[in-house]
Amino acid sequence: MAGRRSSRLKTRATSAAPSGSAEMDVDSQDVAYSESDNEPLTKTLKSRKRKIHADESFSPKVDEHRAKKVRGRRGILKQLTEMPLDILFEIFGQLNPLDVLHLSRTTKALRGILMRRSAVSVWKQTCANISGFPPCPEDLTEPQFVNLAFGRQCHFCLRSTGTQIISWEERVRTCLKCIDTHFTIGNYAYQHISGIPDKVVACIPVTRISRASGRRQKLFCYRCDETINRFIEEYSAQKDDPQAVTEWISAKEKERAARLEHVKLCEKWVSEQNEDRLRELEVARDRRKDLIIEKLSELGWGDEIAKGQNRRRLSEHNLVTQKKELTDRVWNNMKDQLVAFMGALKAARLREDRKAMLKKRQHLIKQVRSDYVATCAVNEVIPPASDFYLFPPLRHIVDDTPVEDEVTLETFHEVINLIPELTADWKVQTCEKLMGMIEEATKKDEPQVDIPQPNLNLATTVFRCNKYECTQTRPLFYPAVLMHACASEYTYIYAMEDDEDLVDFSANCRLRPWNAGKVISFWTAASQTAVELVELCGRDPKTTTVQEMDCTNPIFECENCRSDRQGRLMMTWKRGLTHTCAFSAPAGHKLTLPDEETQAKVRLRMAEEVHRKRARLGDRSLCCVHCHLRGDSVSLRKHMADAHEKTQMTSSDVVPYMDVDHEPDNYYLWTPVYV
């Protein structure tokens, strides 16, 4: 081995590079083998010229003194090339291909060693160190293939920034900027190139890239301009010889078929590498996450991490999802942030636990109300469940009972006796709201409207529901307005309350406090019309109540709606309010009071229609006074016999439900008397 070393050193000291050497030019070709293995290494060791001062001596002592000024052990690796080749090759064979490629670019001496054909075993051994790495294709050397697979630079602009694309079929690595400069875009299935037939075009390698096109990803196909020009030159050189062209095309087709087979191997390897990399990253993240959880548990957060979704939420934190190794210094830098994050998680969990607890308890409020309604008379005014929740004794049980204590229906038994008093207070407060609506409306319309002094029981005190489904249907009177379903019906389009628990109750139970959505309002126009109708009946609008008008049940006729084909339009006084205020006619509306005989005839026919409507399947306008079951007259008659053992149903057994429109529809009386 000493002889080999001295021979190499002697060669380096005495040999001169021949002028016709076939060794590659370092600056022009980076990854090609030298043509000769016997070429001396001094070819690659070009000394850099240096200006020497006149007073500087070339004596050995001066050189020795200069060498001693080297700091540390820097420069010691220059002796690496003086080691025997078999030892160097054994060392280099343990590296990865990219490391060997980087070594070949460090010094000219190492380049001269690794770029000789005798070093092919080193490249093959390093490639074998990569699991599943495809074999080197015949048209590339091992260094060229390693540079293609592992290199970091674009083969055109030599930049290593931006997105790099490997064209395995073209054998080049390019950036997105250079692919637009050095490639021609075209269709993969067909592309016409001037100067060569389509059959030749089909042999040119294709680079397929998925790029953004508007809002979507689109597949683009590129062909290298240099390859296209080379195909044109080769084809033009022999296009006059048909046999040569046929053989040349056949060779190119076989060459491309072989390339495509190798491309499949390369793409499979890339896919496997990506999957392995993802698995490695996942393992690194899991290891970091486990260490963070362990350290947080040491700080007393272990139980909190195990609760609810906290472990998943912690795992998604940007400080936890990193792949970097968790060192003590890194942990100390991030500890305060993660502790604060765990505090926020705990607060959020406590809020969620409380909301879940409240949701379960809030549904009990609905059951408490249902049980209370069952003990009351039919059509008795009862607040909705959302207002039950606002009763202080009931809300205290729901909100203030500790989370760990279970709340059941029995828990509310101690406050059941307080509900009648609470309901009475609620009625007073709600009536005050209604009176406020009246006062606000009368002040607003005081110059135009003459309405009696506010009294909820008067026939002239008319309200309406502004909800779309209830608009233009019927007027609302006290006390039925307190039981109107729309007033407490939940919709997401309404002004949210400041009370967060009340908002949650509304969402959970699909109810809201009475008129929280401002759907009930005073109907000024209908109240003015009611004044006129009461006066037509010869009564005093300031004292006549709704109950008195219903007992009288006057029938009115709209003279402007008479029809030769239908007859005289008759209606009750409540339908008259809707007809006059909600519907418009070209000539307006003029309600008059027919003679008593005509009114009696119409009442009978309207009563028939009401009874017919109440007997329809699915009607829910009647209610059983014994069990509060709602339904049609036929089903309730059967219910009386089955459930209450009553063969004859009377008016004392079934009553009209309060929050239902019981008014008969308008009736056309035939024949028009004015004809």
Side-chain angles (χ1 to χ4, degrees), residues 473-512:
T473 54
R474 63 189 177 103
L476 298 175
F477 297 90
Y478 180 84
V481 66
L482 301 182
M483 297 292 290
H484 189 57
C486 296
S488 59
E489 189 177 46
Y490 172 81
T491 56
Y492 61 91
I493 308 176
Y494 75 99
M496 299 298 289
E497 301 286 344
D498 296 334
D499 190 341
E500 184 178 351
D501 292 339
L502 179 58
V503 173
D504 291 338
F505 179 90
S506 299
N508 296 334
C509 300
R510 315 305 295 175
L511 291 170
R512 55 183 174 179

mmCIF file of all heavy atoms in Angstrom, residues 473-512:
data_model
loop_
_atom_site.group_PDB
_atom_site.id
_atom_site.type_symbol
_atom_site.label_atom_id
_atom_site.label_comp_id
_atom_site.label_asym_id
_atom_site.label_seq_id
_atom_site.Cartn_x
_atom_site.Cartn_y
_atom_site.Cartn_z
ATOM 1 N N THR A 473 -104.227 37.568 8.400
ATOM 2 C CA THR A 473 -105.092 36.425 8.703
ATOM 3 C C THR A 473 -106.195 36.801 9.677
ATOM 4 O O THR A 473 -107.380 36.672 9.366
ATOM 5 C CB THR A 473 -104.259 35.270 9.291
ATOM 6 O OG1 THR A 473 -103.519 35.756 10.423
ATOM 7 C CG2 THR A 473 -103.295 34.737 8.247
ATOM 8 N N ARG A 474 -105.855 37.283 10.855
ATOM 9 C CA ARG A 474 -106.897 37.543 11.848
ATOM 10 C C ARG A 474 -106.387 38.538 12.875
ATOM 11 O O ARG A 474 -105.176 38.608 13.146
ATOM 12 C CB ARG A 474 -107.298 36.252 12.562
ATOM 13 C CG ARG A 474 -106.192 35.587 13.363
ATOM 14 C CD ARG A 474 -106.599 34.227 13.863
ATOM 15 N NE ARG A 474 -105.528 33.545 14.561
ATOM 16 C CZ ARG A 474 -105.443 33.423 15.879
ATOM 17 N NH1 ARG A 474 -106.367 33.975 16.648
ATOM 18 N NH2 ARG A 474 -104.458 32.755 16.432
ATOM 19 N N PRO A 475 -107.292 39.307 13.456
ATOM 20 C CA PRO A 475 -106.914 40.194 14.558
ATOM 21 C C PRO A 475 -106.781 39.404 15.852
ATOM 22 O O PRO A 475 -107.373 38.333 16.014
ATOM 23 C CB PRO A 475 -108.074 41.191 14.619
ATOM 24 C CG PRO A 475 -109.238 40.422 14.082
ATOM 25 C CD PRO A 475 -108.691 39.483 13.043
ATOM 26 N N LEU A 476 -105.991 39.907 16.766
ATOM 27 C CA LEU A 476 -105.771 39.270 18.060
ATOM 28 C C LEU A 476 -106.333 40.172 19.157
ATOM 29 O O LEU A 476 -106.133 41.394 19.136
ATOM 30 C CB LEU A 476 -104.271 39.036 18.297
ATOM 31 C CG LEU A 476 -103.563 38.098 17.314
ATOM 32 C CD1 LEU A 476 -102.070 38.061 17.605
ATOM 33 C CD2 LEU A 476 -104.154 36.702 17.366
ATOM 34 N N PHE A 477 -107.025 39.544 20.105
ATOM 35 C CA PHE A 477 -107.614 40.267 21.225
ATOM 36 C C PHE A 477 -107.094 39.683 22.529
ATOM 37 O O PHE A 477 -106.587 38.553 22.574
ATOM 38 C CB PHE A 477 -109.149 40.181 21.183
ATOM 39 C CG PHE A 477 -109.750 40.831 19.965
ATOM 40 C CD1 PHE A 477 -109.961 40.095 18.798
ATOM 41 C CD2 PHE A 477 -110.108 42.166 19.983
ATOM 42 C CE1 PHE A 477 -110.512 40.693 17.685
ATOM 43 C CE2 PHE A 477 -110.661 42.765 18.867
ATOM 44 C CZ PHE A 477 -110.862 42.028 17.704
ATOM 45 N N TYR A 478 -107.237 40.467 23.567
ATOM 46 C CA TYR A 478 -106.872 39.997 24.904
ATOM 47 C C TYR A 478 -107.978 39.066 25.427
ATOM 48 O O TYR A 478 -109.161 39.352 25.218
ATOM 49 C CB TYR A 478 -106.708 41.200 25.834
ATOM 50 C CG TYR A 478 -106.327 40.844 27.233
ATOM 51 C CD1 TYR A 478 -105.005 40.631 27.578
ATOM 52 C CD2 TYR A 478 -107.313 40.711 28.220
ATOM 53 C CE1 TYR A 478 -104.663 40.307 28.886
ATOM 54 C CE2 TYR A 478 -106.974 40.379 29.521
ATOM 55 C CZ TYR A 478 -105.643 40.166 29.845
ATOM 56 O OH TYR A 478 -105.301 39.833 31.125
ATOM 57 N N PRO A 479 -107.659 37.938 26.061
ATOM 58 C CA PRO A 479 -106.332 37.472 26.471
ATOM 59 C C PRO A 479 -105.682 36.496 25.481
ATOM 60 O O PRO A 479 -104.625 35.955 25.767
ATOM 61 C CB PRO A 479 -106.629 36.775 27.798
ATOM 62 C CG PRO A 479 -107.973 36.162 27.583
ATOM 63 C CD PRO A 479 -108.738 37.134 26.714
ATOM 64 N N ALA A 480 -106.348 36.238 24.335
ATOM 65 C CA ALA A 480 -105.794 35.270 23.381
ATOM 66 C C ALA A 480 -104.425 35.692 22.879
ATOM 67 O O ALA A 480 -103.587 34.841 22.531
ATOM 68 C CB ALA A 480 -106.761 35.085 22.213
ATOM 69 N N VAL A 481 -104.158 37.025 22.850
ATOM 70 C CA VAL A 481 -102.858 37.490 22.369
ATOM 71 C C VAL A 481 -101.727 36.990 23.261
ATOM 72 O O VAL A 481 -100.587 36.802 22.797
ATOM 73 C CB VAL A 481 -102.867 39.036 22.280
ATOM 74 C CG1 VAL A 481 -102.984 39.662 23.669
ATOM 75 C CG2 VAL A 481 -101.633 39.539 21.569
ATOM 76 N N LEU A 482 -101.994 36.741 24.536
ATOM 77 C CA LEU A 482 -100.960 36.233 25.444
ATOM 78 C C LEU A 482 -100.597 34.786 25.134
ATOM 79 O O LEU A 482 -99.498 34.333 25.493
ATOM 80 C CB LEU A 482 -101.434 36.352 26.897
ATOM 81 C CG LEU A 482 -101.780 37.759 27.399
ATOM 82 C CD1 LEU A 482 -102.184 37.701 28.864
ATOM 83 C CD2 LEU A 482 -100.620 38.705 27.195
ATOM 84 N N MET A 483 -101.510 34.052 24.502
ATOM 85 C CA MET A 483 -101.286 32.633 24.204
ATOM 86 C C MET A 483 -100.916 32.403 22.744
ATOM 87 O O MET A 483 -100.816 31.259 22.303
ATOM 88 C CB MET A 483 -102.547 31.838 24.546
ATOM 89 C CG MET A 483 -102.918 31.862 26.024
ATOM 90 S SD MET A 483 -101.727 30.972 27.026
ATOM 91 C CE MET A 483 -102.071 29.292 26.509
ATOM 92 N N HIS A 484 -100.719 33.483 21.990
ATOM 93 C CA HIS A 484 -100.405 33.320 20.572
ATOM 94 C C HIS A 484 -99.049 32.626 20.421
ATOM 95 O O HIS A 484 -98.037 33.048 21.006
ATOM 96 C CB HIS A 484 -100.395 34.677 19.883
ATOM 97 C CG HIS A 484 -100.284 34.579 18.392
ATOM 98 N ND1 HIS A 484 -101.178 33.882 17.616
ATOM 99 C CD2 HIS A 484 -99.371 35.095 17.528
ATOM 100 C CE1 HIS A 484 -100.830 33.977 16.351
ATOM 101 N NE2 HIS A 484 -99.733 34.708 16.270
ATOM 102 N N ALA A 485 -99.011 31.555 19.631
ATOM 103 C CA ALA A 485 -97.801 30.724 19.534
ATOM 104 C C ALA A 485 -96.625 31.480 18.945
ATOM 105 O O ALA A 485 -95.468 31.277 19.350
ATOM 106 C CB ALA A 485 -98.106 29.479 18.695
ATOM 107 N N CYS A 486 -96.867 32.360 17.977
ATOM 108 C CA CYS A 486 -95.763 33.064 17.326
ATOM 109 C C CYS A 486 -95.009 33.967 18.292
ATOM 110 O O CYS A 486 -93.835 34.276 18.075
ATOM 111 C CB CYS A 486 -96.281 33.891 16.154
ATOM 112 S SG CYS A 486 -97.004 32.921 14.819
ATOM 113 N N ALA A 487 -95.668 34.400 19.356
ATOM 114 C CA ALA A 487 -95.031 35.319 20.298
ATOM 115 C C ALA A 487 -93.862 34.668 21.017
ATOM 116 O O ALA A 487 -92.915 35.353 21.439
ATOM 117 C CB ALA A 487 -96.058 35.827 21.303
ATOM 118 N N SER A 488 -93.884 33.351 21.176
ATOM 119 C CA SER A 488 -92.796 32.653 21.869
ATOM 120 C C SER A 488 -92.090 31.641 20.976
ATOM 121 O O SER A 488 -91.245 30.888 21.459
ATOM 122 C CB SER A 488 -93.348 31.929 23.107
ATOM 123 O OG SER A 488 -94.355 30.994 22.731
ATOM 124 N N GLU A 489 -92.424 31.636 19.702
ATOM 125 C CA GLU A 489 -91.800 30.680 18.785
ATOM 126 C C GLU A 489 -90.376 31.106 18.485
ATOM 127 O O GLU A 489 -90.087 32.285 18.268
ATOM 128 C CB GLU A 489 -92.611 30.585 17.492
ATOM 129 C CG GLU A 489 -92.173 29.462 16.577
ATOM 130 C CD GLU A 489 -93.065 29.369 15.351
ATOM 131 O OE1 GLU A 489 -93.337 30.426 14.743
ATOM 132 O OE2 GLU A 489 -93.505 28.267 15.013
ATOM 133 N N TYR A 490 -89.461 30.128 18.431
ATOM 134 C CA TYR A 490 -88.044 30.434 18.239
ATOM 135 C C TYR A 490 -87.727 30.548 16.764
ATOM 136 O O TYR A 490 -88.125 29.713 15.947
ATOM 137 C CB TYR A 490 -87.170 29.333 18.843
ATOM 138 C CG TYR A 490 -85.694 29.491 18.520
ATOM 139 C CD1 TYR A 490 -84.905 30.369 19.242
ATOM 140 C CD2 TYR A 490 -85.104 28.775 17.486
ATOM 141 C CE1 TYR A 490 -83.559 30.528 18.963
ATOM 142 C CE2 TYR A 490 -83.761 28.927 17.188
ATOM 143 C CZ TYR A 490 -82.994 29.808 17.927
ATOM 144 O OH TYR A 490 -81.672 29.964 17.641
ATOM 145 N N THR A 491 -87.012 31.596 16.409
ATOM 146 C CA THR A 491 -86.401 31.738 15.086
ATOM 147 C C THR A 491 -85.028 32.339 15.301
ATOM 148 O O THR A 491 -84.780 33.063 16.265
ATOM 149 C CB THR A 491 -87.227 32.657 14.161
ATOM 150 O OG1 THR A 491 -87.401 33.919 14.799
ATOM 151 C CG2 THR A 491 -88.573 32.048 13.838
ATOM 152 N N TYR A 492 -84.119 32.040 14.376
ATOM 153 C CA TYR A 492 -82.761 32.559 14.525
ATOM 154 C C TYR A 492 -82.665 34.007 14.073
ATOM 155 O O TYR A 492 -81.636 34.656 14.267
ATOM 156 C CB TYR A 492 -81.778 31.715 13.715
ATOM 157 C CG TYR A 492 -82.031 31.671 12.231
ATOM 158 C CD1 TYR A 492 -81.446 32.596 11.367
ATOM 159 C CD2 TYR A 492 -82.864 30.712 11.685
ATOM 160 C CE1 TYR A 492 -81.691 32.542 10.014
ATOM 161 C CE2 TYR A 492 -83.120 30.663 10.334
ATOM 162 C CZ TYR A 492 -82.526 31.575 9.503
ATOM 163 O OH TYR A 492 -82.766 31.532 8.147
ATOM 164 N N ILE A 493 -83.704 34.562 13.468
ATOM 165 C CA ILE A 493 -83.684 35.952 13.029
ATOM 166 C C ILE A 493 -84.403 36.787 14.084
ATOM 167 O O ILE A 493 -85.600 37.049 13.994
ATOM 168 C CB ILE A 493 -84.365 36.120 11.655
ATOM 169 C CG1 ILE A 493 -83.773 35.146 10.641
ATOM 170 C CG2 ILE A 493 -84.243 37.545 11.169
ATOM 171 C CD1 ILE A 493 -84.449 35.184 9.299
ATOM 172 N N TYR A 494 -83.703 37.165 15.100
ATOM 173 C CA TYR A 494 -84.265 38.061 16.101
ATOM 174 C C TYR A 494 -83.119 38.627 16.922
ATOM 175 O O TYR A 494 -82.013 38.104 16.938
ATOM 176 C CB TYR A 494 -85.287 37.363 16.996
ATOM 177 C CG TYR A 494 -84.724 36.439 18.039
ATOM 178 C CD1 TYR A 494 -84.576 36.836 19.350
ATOM 179 C CD2 TYR A 494 -84.351 35.148 17.692
ATOM 180 C CE1 TYR A 494 -84.065 35.984 20.308
ATOM 181 C CE2 TYR A 494 -83.844 34.296 18.631
ATOM 182 C CZ TYR A 494 -83.708 34.707 19.935
ATOM 183 O OH TYR A 494 -83.192 33.851 20.866
ATOM 184 N N ALA A 495 -83.395 39.723 17.586
ATOM 185 C CA ALA A 495 -82.366 40.394 18.372
ATOM 186 C C ALA A 495 -81.952 39.501 19.538
ATOM 187 O O ALA A 495 -82.785 39.105 20.353
ATOM 188 C CB ALA A 495 -82.887 41.737 18.891
ATOM 189 N N MET A 496 -80.678 39.207 19.605
ATOM 190 C CA MET A 496 -80.194 38.324 20.656
ATOM 191 C C MET A 496 -80.227 39.040 22.008
ATOM 192 O O MET A 496 -80.006 40.245 22.122
ATOM 193 C CB MET A 496 -78.762 37.879 20.350
ATOM 194 C CG MET A 496 -78.637 37.114 19.047
ATOM 195 S SD MET A 496 -79.577 35.583 19.030
ATOM 196 C CE MET A 496 -78.624 34.605 20.164
ATOM 197 N N GLU A 497 -80.515 38.283 23.037
ATOM 198 C CA GLU A 497 -80.547 38.830 24.380
ATOM 199 C C GLU A 497 -79.126 38.941 24.929
ATOM 200 O O GLU A 497 -78.204 38.264 24.488
ATOM 201 C CB GLU A 497 -81.392 37.920 25.280
ATOM 202 C CG GLU A 497 -82.819 37.744 24.825
ATOM 203 C CD GLU A 497 -83.663 38.983 25.091
ATOM 204 O OE1 GLU A 497 -83.226 39.824 25.887
ATOM 205 O OE2 GLU A 497 -84.740 39.093 24.494
ATOM 206 N N ASP A 498 -78.970 39.828 25.909
ATOM 207 C CA ASP A 498 -77.681 39.935 26.577
ATOM 208 C C ASP A 498 -77.432 38.747 27.493
ATOM 209 O O ASP A 498 -76.291 38.460 27.839
ATOM 210 C CB ASP A 498 -77.627 41.236 27.393
ATOM 211 C CG ASP A 498 -77.705 42.468 26.506
ATOM 212 O OD1 ASP A 498 -77.310 42.357 25.337
ATOM 213 O OD2 ASP A 498 -78.180 43.515 26.980
ATOM 214 N N ASP A 499 -78.497 38.076 27.893
ATOM 215 C CA ASP A 499 -78.395 36.917 28.773
ATOM 216 C C ASP A 499 -77.969 35.697 27.944
ATOM 217 O O ASP A 499 -78.752 35.146 27.167
ATOM 218 C CB ASP A 499 -79.747 36.671 29.450
ATOM 219 C CG ASP A 499 -79.646 35.639 30.564
ATOM 220 O OD1 ASP A 499 -78.670 34.873 30.580
ATOM 221 O OD2 ASP A 499 -80.552 35.608 31.413
ATOM 222 N N GLU A 500 -76.726 35.281 28.097
ATOM 223 C CA GLU A 500 -76.205 34.167 27.296
ATOM 224 C C GLU A 500 -76.928 32.862 27.605
ATOM 225 O O GLU A 500 -77.214 32.077 26.694
ATOM 226 C CB GLU A 500 -74.700 34.009 27.551
ATOM 227 C CG GLU A 500 -74.044 32.939 26.703
ATOM 228 C CD GLU A 500 -72.553 32.831 26.942
ATOM 229 O OE1 GLU A 500 -72.013 33.706 27.646
ATOM 230 O OE2 GLU A 500 -71.932 31.876 26.426
ATOM 231 N N ASP A 501 -77.249 32.618 28.881
ATOM 232 C CA ASP A 501 -77.962 31.391 29.241
ATOM 233 C C ASP A 501 -79.369 31.380 28.643
ATOM 234 O O ASP A 501 -79.871 30.322 28.248
ATOM 235 C CB ASP A 501 -78.038 31.256 30.763
ATOM 236 C CG ASP A 501 -76.671 30.998 31.377
ATOM 237 O OD1 ASP A 501 -75.779 30.534 30.646
ATOM 238 O OD2 ASP A 501 -76.493 31.279 32.578
ATOM 239 N N LEU A 502 -79.997 32.536 28.581
ATOM 240 C CA LEU A 502 -81.331 32.612 27.983
ATOM 241 C C LEU A 502 -81.267 32.349 26.484
ATOM 242 O O LEU A 502 -82.147 31.685 25.918
ATOM 243 C CB LEU A 502 -81.952 33.988 28.257
ATOM 244 C CG LEU A 502 -83.346 34.228 27.674
ATOM 245 C CD1 LEU A 502 -84.335 33.194 28.203
ATOM 246 C CD2 LEU A 502 -83.823 35.640 27.982
ATOM 247 N N VAL A 503 -80.229 32.837 25.842
ATOM 248 C CA VAL A 503 -80.046 32.559 24.404
ATOM 249 C C VAL A 503 -79.856 31.062 24.184
ATOM 250 O O VAL A 503 -80.415 30.471 23.247
ATOM 251 C CB VAL A 503 -78.840 33.356 23.862
ATOM 252 C CG1 VAL A 503 -78.537 32.948 22.427
ATOM 253 C CG2 VAL A 503 -79.114 34.850 23.936
ATOM 254 N N ASP A 504 -79.069 30.411 25.058
ATOM 255 C CA ASP A 504 -78.879 28.967 24.945
ATOM 256 C C ASP A 504 -80.194 28.224 25.172
ATOM 257 O O ASP A 504 -80.481 27.228 24.496
ATOM 258 C CB ASP A 504 -77.832 28.492 25.958
ATOM 259 C CG ASP A 504 -76.437 28.992 25.612
ATOM 260 O OD1 ASP A 504 -76.207 29.330 24.437
ATOM 261 O OD2 ASP A 504 -75.577 29.057 26.511
ATOM 262 N N PHE A 505 -80.987 28.703 26.133
ATOM 263 C CA PHE A 505 -82.287 28.069 26.367
ATOM 264 C C PHE A 505 -83.170 28.175 25.121
ATOM 265 O O PHE A 505 -83.843 27.208 24.743
ATOM 266 C CB PHE A 505 -82.981 28.743 27.559
ATOM 267 C CG PHE A 505 -84.342 28.180 27.867
ATOM 268 C CD1 PHE A 505 -84.479 27.125 28.740
ATOM 269 C CD2 PHE A 505 -85.485 28.688 27.249
ATOM 270 C CE1 PHE A 505 -85.730 26.589 29.017
ATOM 271 C CE2 PHE A 505 -86.735 28.165 27.510
ATOM 272 C CZ PHE A 505 -86.860 27.113 28.397
ATOM 273 N N SER A 506 -83.171 29.344 24.483
ATOM 274 C CA SER A 506 -83.988 29.521 23.278
ATOM 275 C C SER A 506 -83.550 28.577 22.172
ATOM 276 O O SER A 506 -84.382 28.011 21.456
ATOM 277 C CB SER A 506 -83.892 30.977 22.803
ATOM 278 O OG SER A 506 -84.376 31.864 23.786
ATOM 279 N N ALA A 507 -82.235 28.400 22.034
ATOM 280 C CA ALA A 507 -81.734 27.500 20.997
ATOM 281 C C ALA A 507 -81.999 26.043 21.340
ATOM 282 O O ALA A 507 -82.323 25.233 20.456
ATOM 283 C CB ALA A 507 -80.238 27.731 20.788
ATOM 284 N N ASN A 508 -81.864 25.688 22.613
ATOM 285 C CA ASN A 508 -82.051 24.296 23.022
ATOM 286 C C ASN A 508 -83.518 23.874 22.983
ATOM 287 O O ASN A 508 -83.841 22.767 22.529
ATOM 288 C CB ASN A 508 -81.491 24.080 24.427
ATOM 289 C CG ASN A 508 -79.991 24.285 24.483
ATOM 290 O OD1 ASN A 508 -79.293 24.120 23.482
ATOM 291 N ND2 ASN A 508 -79.481 24.668 25.643
ATOM 292 N N CYS A 509 -84.404 24.730 23.483
ATOM 293 C CA CYS A 509 -85.821 24.378 23.600
ATOM 294 C C CYS A 509 -86.672 24.953 22.483
ATOM 295 O O CYS A 509 -87.906 24.756 22.477
ATOM 296 C CB CYS A 509 -86.358 24.844 24.957
ATOM 297 S SG CYS A 509 -85.513 24.104 26.372
ATOM 298 N N ARG A 510 -86.048 25.673 21.554
ATOM 299 C CA ARG A 510 -86.756 26.250 20.414
ATOM 300 C C ARG A 510 -87.889 27.166 20.873
ATOM 301 O O ARG A 510 -88.965 27.216 20.286
ATOM 302 C CB ARG A 510 -87.314 25.163 19.491
ATOM 303 C CG ARG A 510 -86.376 24.031 19.175
ATOM 304 C CD ARG A 510 -85.069 24.508 18.601
ATOM 305 N NE ARG A 510 -85.238 25.146 17.296
ATOM 306 C CZ ARG A 510 -84.245 25.733 16.622
ATOM 307 N NH1 ARG A 510 -83.044 25.794 17.161
ATOM 308 N NH2 ARG A 510 -84.478 26.276 15.453
ATOM 309 N N LEU A 511 -87.650 27.901 21.931
ATOM 310 C CA LEU A 511 -88.617 28.853 22.472
ATOM 311 C C LEU A 511 -87.870 30.107 22.893
ATOM 312 O O LEU A 511 -86.666 30.067 23.184
ATOM 313 C CB LEU A 511 -89.363 28.273 23.680
ATOM 314 C CG LEU A 511 -90.348 27.135 23.412
ATOM 315 C CD1 LEU A 511 -90.798 26.539 24.735
ATOM 316 C CD2 LEU A 511 -91.557 27.632 22.621
ATOM 317 N N ARG A 512 -88.586 31.206 22.949
ATOM 318 C CA ARG A 512 -88.027 32.453 23.446
ATOM 319 C C ARG A 512 -89.069 33.145 24.314
ATOM 320 O O ARG A 512 -90.267 32.834 24.221
ATOM 321 C CB ARG A 512 -87.619 33.359 22.284
ATOM 322 C CG ARG A 512 -88.739 33.632 21.314
ATOM 323 C CD ARG A 512 -88.252 34.473 20.152
ATOM 324 N NE ARG A 512 -89.281 34.620 19.141
ATOM 325 C CZ ARG A 512 -89.142 35.317 18.036
ATOM 326 N NH1 ARG A 512 -88.005 35.918 17.807
ATOM 327 N NH2 ARG A 512 -90.111 35.400 17.153
#
